[in-house]
Amino acid sequence: MANLRFGVVGCGRIGKLHINNLLNNIEGAEVIAAADPMLDKSGAREWLAQRGITNASTNYMDVINNPDVDVVMVCSSTDTHCEVSMEAVKAGKHVFCEKPIDYDIAKIKALLALVEEKGVKFQVGFNRRFDHNHKAVADAVKAGKIGNPHYINVSSRDPEPPPASYVAVSGGIFYDMMIHDFDMVRYLSGSEAVEISAVGSCLVNPNLQEESGIPDVDTAVVTMKLANGAIATINNSRQAVYGYDQRVEVFGSKGMAADQNDLNSTATITTVDGALSEKPKWFFLERYNDAFIEQIKFFIDSIVNDKPTVVGAYDGLRPVLMAAAATESCRNGGVWVKVAE
Amino acid sequence: MANLRFGVVGCGRIGKLHINNLLNNIEGAEVIAAADPMLDKSGAREWLAQRGITNASTNYMDVINNPDVDVVMVCSSTDTHCEVSMEAVKAGKHVFCEKPIDYDIAKIKALLALVEEKGVKFQVGFNRRFDHNHKAVADAVKAGKIGNPHYINVSSRDPEPPPASYVAVSGGIFYDMMIHDFDMVRYLSGSEAVEISAVGSCLVNPNLQEESGIPDVDTAVVTMKLANGAIATINNSRQAVYGYDQRVEVFGSKGMAADQNDLNSTATITTVDGALSEKPKWFFLERYNDAFIEQIKFFIDSIVNDKPTVVGAYDGLRPVLMAAAATESCRNGGVWVKVAE
Amino acid sequence: MANLRFGVVGCGRIGKLHINNLLNNIEGAEVIAAADPMLDKSGAREWLAQRGITNASTNYMDVINNPDVDVVMVCSSTDTHCEVSMEAVKAGKHVFCEKPIDYDIAKIKALLALVEEKGVKFQVGFNRRFDHNHKAVADAVKAGKIGNPHYINVSSRDPEPPPASYVAVSGGIFYDMMIHDFDMVRYLSGSEAVEISAVGSCLVNPNLQEESGIPDVDTAVVTMKLANGAIATINNSRQAVYGYDQRVEVFGSKGMAADQNDLNSTATITTVDGALSEKPKWFFLERYNDAFIEQIKFFIDSIVNDKPTVVGAYDGLRPVLMAAAATESCRNGGVWVKVAE
Amino acid sequence: MANLRFGVVGCGRIGKLHINNLLNNIEGAEVIAAADPMLDKSGAREWLAQRGITNASTNYMDVINNPDVDVVMVCSSTDTHCEVSMEAVKAGKHVFCEKPIDYDIAKIKALLALVEEKGVKFQVGFNRRFDHNHKAVADAVKAGKIGNPHYINVSSRDPEPPPASYVAVSGGIFYDMMIHDFDMVRYLSGSEAVEISAVGSCLVNPNLQEESGIPDVDTAVVTMKLANGAIATINNSRQAVYGYDQRVEVFGSKGMAADQNDLNSTATITTVDGALSEKPKWFFLERYNDAFIEQIKFFIDSIVNDKPTVVGAYDGLRPVLMAAAATESCRNGGVWVKVAE
């Protein structure tokens, strides 16, 4: 079978990550075109050339209009995700779009409708669903091993905060960071959040709001009432000094499924001071490296074998709706906010 | 130094537990008197006699008025805790009172004032503070090892639900079960809850409310804003089929302190099916056996060496105030309720 | 049913431990007599009196000849274990004897014969068989969960070395320390050692041999060929600075059963320096406290319900034969030595 | 800096593994030539062409004589490792040679001498030294964190036995399987084995000796006296049904460093049946995947920056000497055999 031919829009950190994976770690794919407005200023053109990708443009429409491209991979800046995806879908391409699709609900819904109309495959980059640990928990839940879920807890903490200038344009912690955890709750529970309450503080950086110019927080706890009666909580911190802390727990009528962090090594040194083990892996590139690869393998499989994608356009919409509700709640003292449809 | 002479009021399960510990596992104490209204009907008189305790009465005032009694241990039914304690304090006895002191805030406050006036030692039976695991976490927090606490999570699940008839008179899950966890949050954070939001469902027993006649829940999640800016959550379930699940986690500016359940054994059997380890210990008698003993040792030490008790009357008051706020919140859809002073 | 009446010979550390357990933690037993040659010099008479044991003698025959005594518990110095046990068995008493019975094989065999002739219950104090962790491993092996055992490893390390003066009279590491581990190999494998090779060094105390006056070692590794074809190893050290290290592993055709140390607590503190957990419990009193109690409960059960004892006289003989073989091997450079019958 | 140009001799499973890693996962390297006598029969020529390696020959001298080749990677059949390496060193190439170099001590020593004379870089494929877990243990030992090593234990078990026909030509378990563990003992202890005793049984396949035609075993335990006074043990099994079991432990005067297996995931499912965690990764490709890459990175670094290789020719010699001693010991009932110089 011929390789799927990818065109990549956006050659920043995440675009390069995907390109390297497509070239080195994924069977059945090749990268035949790329686009980035900063191609020549950022050194990306040279970087691509070293990998044999010479069809590179500053205009993403060149990728989309390339008749040899089967799949468009959208890794551009967040504010362009939706528009690039729309164009690619219109052109009949399959699309892999980094998260979030957009912050504008109407635009996401328009994209959803178009994807359905065109019948192309569309997948959103919620890579954590493909993490070996979280997936094992979700698979156990789906297999009924813990019965009906009653309580879900997601702990998700970054090793270091982004600069306030980034926060200023990120939409805040619920859109920028917790969006993954909203997806995780959906993935683990198999249910939808109906109402959300969010509270938070600036405990990592007490000056965050002045510095960023938005009423954001760096420590947040969200509680959700799910449609199936279960309750879910998420806790986020912008700074866990010991590394990237990513753990989930699902408690149900027949038991509990939970995971732990991946560690740098399993070595333990036991002395008079106690037993010292390793810290979690540092950040998402270390922890979710394999998950980034796995998600593309699943995506390719859905195209090649004409299956539904594992994380479709609707899965891109829901976490944004949840982030909107959480943001509103947090800015109003934790009041319960219904998640919009 | 002469032994402290205990008089025990209430010879049910918990009273017998304390008596056995005082006789067998605690130095510097003896039990010289006991009272229980059901003394003759329940077989308690004979049980006491087998342990050499012949000074037994159906009237608790006989214990309190006994001039040889140094300490009154209040293990009677919950609705009498406060009145027995009041009488004992009035009589100048030191008092160890099982939790909760009462559900009536005014009565607890009156007791507090009297304890202060009389200058006796008063300790409430929040035994979990003396658990080797939770204490190690709290000690690490106090020692500054994790910096300023940002987030506290307490998971607390019973192995099997009480009968609905018990729930009917228990005051509900927040007074009866989560009361210990409210204390744990105070113990771990060193701070006070300012506002509380509580949500819950009847997921273990969908008919709980009809059967118990009160608007109670069996699965509950509480979120708290603490005075120091940290956020705390507690999750309770009346039924974790795998046993008594009791874990705490404190996350802060310099790290995280967390504990795990005590297991029946550390043995693991690894086969083609995976690695099978043991379940948590079954229930509180198994898990907190040593903590029941430790708390009395600390209490004796506070009397003998005239130190403040580790868990005083004010520590008995606060969790009741928190339970009141949580109950109100849960019955109103999770609305934020200020914790009364 | 009437209590079993124990008479205790030897009121040193281990005798007091058993007496306290019989008084406080074991149902169906009482202590009615005791003997110790140092009774008045050591303060043991007063210690016994405080516990209501006034029938105390410097002559152990007073315990043995006491017609009210059902069970003689032999906790005297090692060199008298066998003679006291012989007298007690002759007198028709049930006997619990601390390990080792003796170093003289002929004397142990004579005792074995007498026990059989008299039909009394005889148990040796190999308490580790009753440890919750080791027992769970042994039970898994017995239940066939790991198939046929192929390899057994026992790690057994003390937190601090005994004084050289003690080593001088102890018979050396194989009799004094590894004797428990020889029993553990028999317990875990269900098979007998046929040949033994032992090697060792003085790594903890390079002057051990001069100081003790015997050719002993403080670090030892023993390999055994078992009758069932499996291979077993034991490693001993007189000093694990982090505490009492007691772990076993059984590997077989269907899997592996292994245990870990009991820890002071399950708490872990994770910081930039890593994840710090607790050390193992300090020494045998902390780790095997419950096992000391459990073994007596099993012993009482064997008497009351006329069952074979769990650790009989033959189980007392075999480890001594193994220690003899190991000692001979170690003093001859690790040569293979057949275990005598 | 220009890429190092690799020529690969031997394009079987391990050769392909290295080529893929050089192409995809390692910076600063390229593969410009390859050789394999079965090139056309095995499909290797086509496999190479798909990766852009068109300079392929059935004669390994074509790789060695290629003036553009900087490094020869020897992945041919074991019996040719030494001769190919000799030729490559003679030609002044740097050499990475898969283990073992040879079974003939004299030939290895000749190679050693030649490597020294020629001053090229030579590394042997003891990849486990680069495993994140074992390396963390070794680094802790080297850093003095556990003081002087007293006891080393290596557990090393394969998930499934090779066919008897393979065993027939493999040299037996000590050359074929334990060779890695001999290296591990040297790596962890920083010392050399002086005397070795080996015992073994055919417990996995009772007919192994008839089927293979050699007096081999499938379950083996080796004990070693090290030059520094420490004692080391290795246990091997050809079949751990639960997966590849690879753990090391170093015990010393100041503590213990030990590692655990890498698992398929960190997920645990706790139900009434216990807590079920994952099995170890299946075999060496899963467990040591990153180590295969890491060792080449270190090798490249030693060439580029002219440092000694981490695992040199002498490190290739010693494990073969140890395997020889162990084989002799095992075939003579476990007698102690001095390791030749």
Side-chain angles (χ1 to χ4, degrees):
Chain A
M1 171 164 296
N3 281 339
L4 278 180
R5 289 157 302 182
F6 280 69
V8 177
V9 175
C11 301
R13 184 173 63 169
I14 195 75
K16 286 175 176 167
L17 174 78
H18 285 300
I19 289 170
N20 270 335
N21 284 337
L22 286 165
L23 294 177
N24 297 329
N25 302 309
I26 294 167
E27 301 277 318
E30 58 192 294
V31 181
I32 63 164
D36 191 300
M38 307 292 289
L39 206 52
D40 297 295
K41 293 177 190 160
S42 68
R45 189 182 294 278
E46 194 184 3
W47 187 93
L48 290 164
Q50 286 165 349
R51 283 154 184 79
I53 306 166
T54 50
N55 187 345
S57 165
T58 55
N59 182 348
Y60 72 78
M61 287 308 295
D62 290 341
V63 168
I64 286 171
N65 291 329
N66 185 329
D68 294 335
V69 165
D70 300 312
V71 183
V72 174
M73 184 165 255
V74 183
C75 307
S76 51
S77 64
T78 296
D79 57 326
T80 65
H81 284 177
C82 200
E83 123 200 0
V84 177
S85 294
M86 287 293 282
E87 294 295 340
V89 172
K90 266 186 219 161
K93 309 297 190 190
H94 303 297
V95 172
F96 180 93
C97 179
E98 267 306 320
K99 62 95 218 170
I101 299 177
D102 206 291
Y103 298 153
D104 182 325
I105 307 299
K107 287 170 67 180
I108 306 176
K109 287 186 174 175
L111 177 59
L112 241 89
L114 190 67
V115 167
E116 193 152 333
E117 181 195 325
K118 289 288 185 177
V120 297
K121 302 297 177 190
F122 183 91
Q123 186 168 320
V124 184
F126 283 123
N127 57 296
R128 295 187 195 173
R129 290 190 178 213
F130 303 87
D131 172 64
H132 60 145
N133 300 330
H134 303 329
K135 188 170 190 308
V137 170
D139 287 350
V141 175
K142 256 179 240 153
K145 291 188 181 170
I146 64 147
N148 298 319
H150 289 178
Y151 170 68
I152 294 103
N153 189 36
V154 174
S155 292
S156 174
R157 302 165 193 162
D158 283 355
E160 50 188 5
S165 57
Y166 173 86
V167 171
V169 299
S170 73
I173 195 168
F174 302 106
Y175 283 102
D176 164 54
M177 182 175 169
M178 202 180 279
I179 194 103
H180 274 294
D181 308 306
F182 288 131
D183 180 61
M184 192 52 58
V185 167
R186 297 181 68 241
Y187 177 52
L188 294 172
S189 68
S191 186
E192 297 291 357
V194 175
E195 269 192 287
I196 288 184
S197 166
V199 290
S201 299
C202 294
L203 298 173
V204 173
N205 176 7
N207 302 319
L208 176 65
Q209 300 196 346
E210 299 86 74
E211 291 178 13
S212 69
I214 65 167
D216 201 22
V217 294
D218 53 33
T219 304
V221 172
V222 161
T223 309
M224 281 166 274
K225 302 174 187 168
L226 304 189
N228 65 2
I231 303 164
T233 52
I234 298 170
N235 67 85
N236 269 188
S237 171
R238 289 284 195 184
Q239 184 168 39
V241 294
Y242 50 81
Y244 198 44
D245 194 350
Q246 297 280 305
R247 290 168 290 137
V248 304
E249 174 179 322
V250 186
F251 171 77
S253 56
K254 291 187 181 168
M256 173 172 63
D259 61 21
Q260 296 296 323
N261 287 305
D262 284 335
L263 305 180
N264 289 323
S265 90
T266 64
T268 297
I269 300 162
T270 308
T271 66
V272 290
D273 297 323
L276 189 66
S277 299
E278 299 253 9
K279 294 184 288 186
K281 294 188 171 182
W282 178 245
F283 212 165
F284 69 96
L285 288 179
E286 291 82 9
R287 165 64 185 268
Y288 291 127
N289 187 41
D290 290 344
F292 276 107
I293 297 169
E294 279 300 299
Q295 69 178 346
I296 305 300
K297 290 183 179 172
F298 270 81
F299 180 51
I300 289 174
D301 179 58
S302 74
I303 295 171
V304 172
N305 297 304
D306 195 16
K307 300 178 191 170
T309 54
V310 175
V311 204
Y314 186 70
D315 299 307
L317 170 62
R318 291 296 307 183
V320 177
L321 293 169
M322 294 161 86
T327 302
E328 183 184 337
S329 174
C330 191
R331 292 180 182 180
N332 291 281
V335 65
W336 287 90
V337 175
K338 285 209 154 46
V339 181
E341 287 301 314
Chain B
M1 171 163 295
N3 281 338
L4 277 180
R5 289 157 302 181
F6 279 69
V8 178
V9 174
C11 301
R13 185 173 62 169
I14 195 75
K16 287 175 174 166
L17 175 78
H18 284 301
I19 290 170
N20 270 334
N21 283 337
L22 286 165
L23 295 176
N24 298 329
N25 302 309
I26 294 169
E27 302 277 317
E30 58 192 295
V31 181
I32 64 166
D36 192 301
M38 306 293 288
L39 205 54
D40 297 296
K41 292 179 190 157
S42 69
R45 190 182 292 279
E46 193 185 3
W47 187 91
L48 291 163
Q50 287 165 350
R51 281 153 185 82
I53 306 166
T54 51
N55 187 346
S57 165
T58 55
N59 183 347
Y60 71 78
M61 287 307 296
D62 290 340
V63 168
I64 287 172
N65 292 328
N66 184 330
D68 294 335
V69 165
D70 300 313
V71 183
V72 174
M73 183 165 254
V74 183
C75 307
S76 50
S77 63
T78 296
D79 57 326
T80 65
H81 284 176
C82 200
E83 125 201 359
V84 177
S85 295
M86 288 290 282
E87 293 294 340
V89 173
K90 266 185 218 159
K93 309 297 191 191
H94 302 298
V95 172
F96 180 94
C97 179
E98 267 306 320
K99 61 94 221 172
I101 299 177
D102 206 291
Y103 298 154
D104 182 325
I105 307 299
K107 287 169 68 180
I108 306 177
K109 288 186 173 176
L111 176 60
L112 241 88
L114 190 66
V115 166
E116 193 153 332
E117 181 196 325
K118 287 289 185 177
V120 297
K121 302 298 179 192
F122 183 91
Q123 186 169 320
V124 183
F126 283 125
N127 56 295
R128 293 186 196 173
R129 290 190 179 213
F130 303 87
D131 172 64
H132 60 146
N133 300 331
H134 302 329
K135 188 170 190 308
V137 171
D139 287 351
V141 175
K142 256 179 243 154
K145 292 188 180 170
I146 65 147
N148 298 318
H150 290 179
Y151 171 67
I152 294 104
N153 189 36
V154 174
S155 292
S156 173
R157 302 164 192 161
D158 284 354
E160 50 188 4
S165 59
Y166 173 86
V167 171
V169 298
S170 73
I173 195 168
F174 302 104
Y175 282 101
D176 164 54
M177 182 173 169
M178 202 181 279
I179 193 102
H180 274 294
D181 308 307
F182 288 131
D183 179 61
M184 191 54 58
V185 167
R186 296 182 68 241
Y187 177 53
L188 294 172
S189 69
S191 185
E192 298 291 356
V194 174
E195 268 192 288
I196 288 184
S197 165
V199 290
S201 299
C202 294
L203 297 173
V204 173
N205 176 7
N207 302 319
L208 176 65
Q209 301 197 347
E210 300 86 72
E211 290 178 15
S212 70
I214 64 168
D216 200 23
V217 295
D218 51 35
T219 303
V221 171
V222 162
T223 308
M224 281 166 275
K225 302 173 187 168
L226 304 189
N228 64 3
I231 304 164
T233 51
I234 298 169
N235 67 85
N236 271 186
S237 172
R238 290 285 196 183
Q239 183 167 40
V241 295
Y242 50 81
Y244 198 44
D245 195 349
Q246 297 280 305
R247 291 169 289 138
V248 305
E249 174 178 322
V250 186
F251 170 77
S253 56
K254 291 186 181 168
M256 173 172 63
D259 61 20
Q260 295 296 322
N261 287 305
D262 285 335
L263 305 181
N264 289 322
S265 91
T266 64
T268 297
I269 300 161
T270 308
T271 66
V272 289
D273 297 323
L276 189 66
S277 301
E278 299 254 8
K279 294 183 289 187
K281 295 187 172 184
W282 178 244
F283 212 165
F284 68 96
L285 289 179
E286 291 82 9
R287 167 64 185 268
Y288 291 127
N289 187 40
D290 290 345
F292 277 107
I293 296 169
E294 279 300 299
Q295 69 178 347
I296 304 300
K297 290 183 177 172
F298 271 80
F299 181 51
I300 289 174
D301 179 57
S302 74
I303 296 170
V304 170
N305 298 305
D306 195 17
K307 300 178 191 170
T309 53
V310 176
V311 204
Y314 186 70
D315 299 306
L317 171 63
R318 292 296 308 183
V320 177
L321 293 169
M322 294 161 86
T327 302
E328 184 184 336
S329 174
C330 191
R331 293 181 183 180
N332 291 282
V335 64
W336 287 90
V337 176
K338 284 208 154 47
V339 181
E341 286 301 315
Chain C
M1 172 164 294
N3 280 339
L4 278 180
R5 288 157 303 182
F6 279 69
V8 177
V9 174
C11 300
R13 184 173 64 169
I14 195 76
K16 285 174 175 167
L17 175 78
H18 284 302
I19 289 170
N20 269 335
N21 282 336
L22 286 164
L23 294 177
N24 297 329
N25 302 309
I26 294 168
E27 302 277 317
E30 57 193 294
V31 180
I32 64 165
D36 192 301
M38 306 294 287
L39 204 54
D40 296 298
K41 293 176 190 157
S42 68
R45 191 183 292 279
E46 193 184 5
W47 188 92
L48 291 164
Q50 286 166 349
R51 281 154 185 80
I53 305 167
T54 51
N55 188 346
S57 166
T58 55
N59 182 348
Y60 73 77
M61 288 307 296
D62 290 341
V63 168
I64 287 172
N65 291 328
N66 184 330
D68 293 336
V69 166
D70 300 313
V71 183
V72 174
M73 184 165 254
V74 183
C75 307
S76 50
S77 64
T78 296
D79 58 327
T80 65
H81 284 177
C82 200
E83 124 200 358
V84 177
S85 294
M86 288 292 282
E87 294 295 339
V89 173
K90 267 186 218 160
K93 308 296 191 192
H94 303 298
V95 171
F96 181 93
C97 179
E98 267 307 319
K99 62 96 217 170
I101 298 177
D102 206 293
Y103 298 152
D104 182 325
I105 307 298
K107 286 170 70 179
I108 306 177
K109 288 186 173 175
L111 177 60
L112 241 88
L114 190 67
V115 166
E116 194 154 332
E117 181 196 325
K118 288 289 185 177
V120 296
K121 301 298 178 191
F122 184 92
Q123 186 169 320
V124 184
F126 282 125
N127 57 296
R128 294 186 196 173
R129 291 190 179 214
F130 302 87
D131 172 65
H132 61 145
N133 300 330
H134 303 328
K135 188 170 191 308
V137 171
D139 287 351
V141 175
K142 255 178 240 155
K145 291 188 181 169
I146 64 146
N148 298 319
H150 289 180
Y151 170 67
I152 293 103
N153 189 36
V154 174
S155 292
S156 174
R157 302 164 191 161
D158 283 355
E160 50 188 5
S165 58
Y166 173 86
V167 171
V169 298
S170 73
I173 196 169
F174 302 106
Y175 282 101
D176 165 54
M177 183 174 168
M178 203 181 279
I179 193 103
H180 274 295
D181 308 307
F182 289 131
D183 180 61
M184 192 52 58
V185 168
R186 298 181 66 240
Y187 177 53
L188 293 172
S189 68
S191 185
E192 298 291 356
V194 175
E195 268 191 288
I196 287 184
S197 166
V199 289
S201 300
C202 294
L203 298 173
V204 174
N205 177 6
N207 302 318
L208 177 65
Q209 300 196 347
E210 299 86 73
E211 291 179 13
S212 69
I214 65 167
D216 201 23
V217 294
D218 53 33
T219 304
V221 172
V222 162
T223 309
M224 283 166 273
K225 302 173 187 169
L226 304 190
N228 65 2
I231 302 165
T233 51
I234 297 170
N235 67 85
N236 270 187
S237 171
R238 290 284 196 183
Q239 185 169 39
V241 295
Y242 50 81
Y244 198 44
D245 194 350
Q246 299 278 306
R247 290 168 291 136
V248 304
E249 175 178 321
V250 186
F251 170 77
S253 56
K254 291 186 182 168
M256 173 172 62
D259 62 20
Q260 295 297 323
N261 288 305
D262 283 336
L263 305 181
N264 289 323
S265 90
T266 64
T268 297
I269 300 161
T270 307
T271 66
V272 289
D273 298 322
L276 188 67
S277 300
E278 300 253 7
K279 294 184 288 187
K281 295 187 171 183
W282 178 245
F283 212 166
F284 68 96
L285 289 179
E286 289 82 9
R287 166 64 186 269
Y288 291 128
N289 187 39
D290 289 345
F292 278 106
I293 296 169
E294 279 300 300
Q295 68 178 346
I296 305 300
K297 289 183 178 172
F298 270 82
F299 180 51
I300 290 174
D301 179 57
S302 74
I303 296 170
V304 170
N305 297 306
D306 196 16
K307 300 179 191 170
T309 53
V310 175
V311 204
Y314 186 71
D315 298 307
L317 171 62
R318 292 296 307 182
V320 177
L321 293 168
M322 294 161 85
T327 302
E328 183 184 338
S329 174
C330 191
R331 292 180 183 181
N332 291 282
V335 64
W336 287 90
V337 176
K338 285 209 155 46
V339 181
E341 287 302 315
Chain D
M1 171 163 294
N3 280 339
L4 278 179
R5 289 157 302 182
F6 280 69
V8 178
V9 175
C11 301
R13 185 173 62 168
I14 195 75
K16 286 174 175 166
L17 175 78
H18 284 301
I19 290 170
N20 270 335
N21 284 336
L22 286 165
L23 295 177
N24 298 330
N25 302 310
I26 294 167
E27 303 278 316
E30 57 192 295
V31 182
I32 63 164
D36 192 300
M38 306 294 287
L39 205 54
D40 297 297
K41 292 178 190 157
S42 69
R45 190 182 292 279
E46 192 184 6
W47 187 93
L48 291 163
Q50 286 166 349
R51 281 154 185 79
I53 306 166
T54 50
N55 187 344
S57 166
T58 54
N59 182 348
Y60 72 79
M61 287 306 296
D62 290 340
V63 168
I64 286 171
N65 292 328
N66 185 329
D68 293 334
V69 165
D70 300 312
V71 183
V72 174
M73 184 165 254
V74 183
C75 308
S76 51
S77 64
T78 296
D79 57 326
T80 65
H81 284 176
C82 199
E83 123 200 2
V84 177
S85 295
M86 288 292 281
E87 295 294 341
V89 174
K90 266 185 219 160
K93 309 296 190 191
H94 303 298
V95 171
F96 180 93
C97 179
E98 267 306 319
K99 61 95 219 171
I101 298 176
D102 205 293
Y103 298 152
D104 183 324
I105 307 299
K107 287 170 68 180
I108 306 176
K109 288 184 174 176
L111 176 60
L112 240 89
L114 190 67
V115 166
E116 195 153 331
E117 180 195 326
K118 288 289 184 176
V120 297
K121 301 297 178 192
F122 183 92
Q123 186 169 320
V124 184
F126 283 124
N127 57 296
R128 294 186 196 174
R129 291 190 178 214
F130 304 86
D131 173 65
H132 60 145
N133 300 329
H134 303 328
K135 187 168 191 311
V137 170
D139 287 350
V141 175
K142 253 178 243 156
K145 292 189 181 170
I146 64 147
N148 299 318
H150 290 180
Y151 170 68
I152 294 102
N153 189 36
V154 174
S155 292
S156 174
R157 302 165 192 160
D158 283 355
E160 51 189 3
S165 58
Y166 173 86
V167 171
V169 298
S170 73
I173 194 168
F174 302 106
Y175 282 102
D176 163 54
M177 183 174 169
M178 203 181 278
I179 193 101
H180 274 295
D181 308 307
F182 288 131
D183 179 62
M184 193 52 57
V185 166
R186 297 182 66 242
Y187 177 53
L188 294 172
S189 68
S191 186
E192 297 291 357
V194 175
E195 269 191 289
I196 288 184
S197 165
V199 290
S201 299
C202 294
L203 298 173
V204 173
N205 176 7
N207 302 319
L208 176 65
Q209 301 197 346
E210 299 87 71
E211 291 178 14
S212 69
I214 65 168
D216 200 24
V217 294
D218 52 34
T219 304
V221 171
V222 161
T223 309
M224 282 166 273
K225 302 173 188 169
L226 304 189
N228 64 2
I231 304 164
T233 52
I234 298 169
N235 67 84
N236 270 186
S237 171
R238 289 285 194 182
Q239 184 168 40
V241 295
Y242 50 82
Y244 198 44
D245 194 350
Q246 299 279 305
R247 290 168 291 137
V248 305
E249 175 179 321
V250 186
F251 171 78
S253 56
K254 291 186 181 169
M256 173 172 63
D259 62 19
Q260 296 296 322
N261 288 305
D262 284 335
L263 305 182
N264 289 323
S265 91
T266 63
T268 297
I269 301 161
T270 308
T271 66
V272 290
D273 298 323
L276 189 66
S277 300
E278 299 253 9
K279 294 184 288 188
K281 293 186 171 183
W282 178 244
F283 212 165
F284 68 96
L285 289 179
E286 290 83 8
R287 166 63 186 269
Y288 292 126
N289 187 40
D290 289 345
F292 277 106
I293 297 169
E294 280 299 300
Q295 68 178 346
I296 305 301
K297 290 184 179 172
F298 270 81
F299 181 52
I300 289 174
D301 178 58
S302 73
I303 295 171
V304 171
N305 297 305
D306 195 16
K307 300 178 190 170
T309 53
V310 176
V311 205
Y314 186 70
D315 299 307
L317 171 62
R318 291 296 309 182
V320 178
L321 294 169
M322 294 161 86
T327 303
E328 184 185 335
S329 174
C330 191
R331 292 180 184 180
N332 291 281
V335 64
W336 287 90
V337 176
K338 285 208 155 45
V339 181
E341 288 300 316

